[in-house]
Amino acid sequence: IGIPHMTGLEAVKLLKSYGIPAIFLSSDTNNEYVKEAVESGGLAYLVKPVNIAQSIPVIEFSIKTGQEIQGLLDIKERLDSALETGHHVNVAIGILMERHKLKREEAFEFLRQKARSNRKKVKDIAIEFIDAWHSIHLIASPNLET
């Protein structure tokens, strides 16, 4: 709790931002502070004096929990990326379907072939396509706001 230049709560938040699990070690038994410590991201709260044998399971649990949390954050990041990719690809497919009267599968195949021939990801081709479409429509209709 009492560390130089910041509070324990601030330190745990900083560690958490780097994906590092943290355990509080304090002589303070104030229930409100314990609650704040856990809410700020502390995985455990040990009260001094600490019995080493009793603290080992807490440390092991905290390490395992920290790894599980990091795994979940990695999954979230991949899902967010997939959603973003899906959004761009679906918008590009919709434009292709509308403009060229293509079926969904045909529009996707067009993007996929374009990506393959340019050695790019489908998402990148979709973004380029959407950007070009916006540019064309801004030139054609300069009074429209995006």
Side-chain angles (χ1 to χ4, degrees):
I1 293 174
I3 58 175
H5 309 298
M6 68 176 68
T7 68
L9 297 173
E10 293 168 335
V12 166
K13 289 176 184 175
L14 179 63
L15 291 170
K16 186 178 176 185
S17 73
Y18 289 103
I20 300 169
I23 299 171
F24 279 86
L25 175 61
S26 176
S27 58
D28 192 338
T29 58
N30 178 328
N31 286 339
E32 190 58 36
Y33 196 84
V34 173
K35 181 180 175 186
E36 286 181 54
V38 172
E39 287 175 355
S40 70
L43 298 178
Y45 192 99
L46 299 173
V47 179
K48 295 182 210 176
V50 176
N51 178 319
I52 300 298
Q54 291 175 337
S55 63
I56 290 174
V58 173
I59 295 168
E60 289 173 343
F61 171 79
S62 297
I63 291 170
K64 183 178 181 205
T65 302
Q67 291 169 339
E68 289 172 356
I69 290 169
Q70 189 57 52
L72 291 172
L73 291 173
D74 292 345
I75 290 169
K76 180 192 178 300
E77 188 175 314
R78 287 194 306 271
L79 289 173
D80 287 345
S81 177
L83 284 172
E84 182 184 357
T85 295
H87 171 75
H88 293 302
V89 171
N90 283 330
V91 169
I93 286 172
I95 293 169
L96 284 167
M97 290 172 65
E98 174 65 26
R99 297 280 300 171
H100 300 288
K101 307 299 181 216
L102 298 174
K103 294 180 183 175
R104 180 173 176 68
E105 297 80 18
E106 294 169 331
F108 178 74
E109 186 59 27
F110 172 83
L111 290 175
R112 194 176 73 75
Q113 289 296 330
K114 193 80 162 159
R116 181 177 281 171
S117 67
N118 288 299
R119 295 180 182 225
K120 293 184 177 183
K121 294 180 179 179
V122 172
K123 173 188 172 184
D124 296 335
I125 294 296
I127 291 170
E128 290 173 7
F129 184 82
I130 294 166
D131 289 346
W133 184 81
H134 280 296
S135 296
I136 290 169
H137 281 80
L138 285 176
I139 292 169
S141 305
N143 294 332
L144 294 178
E145 293 183 25
T146 56

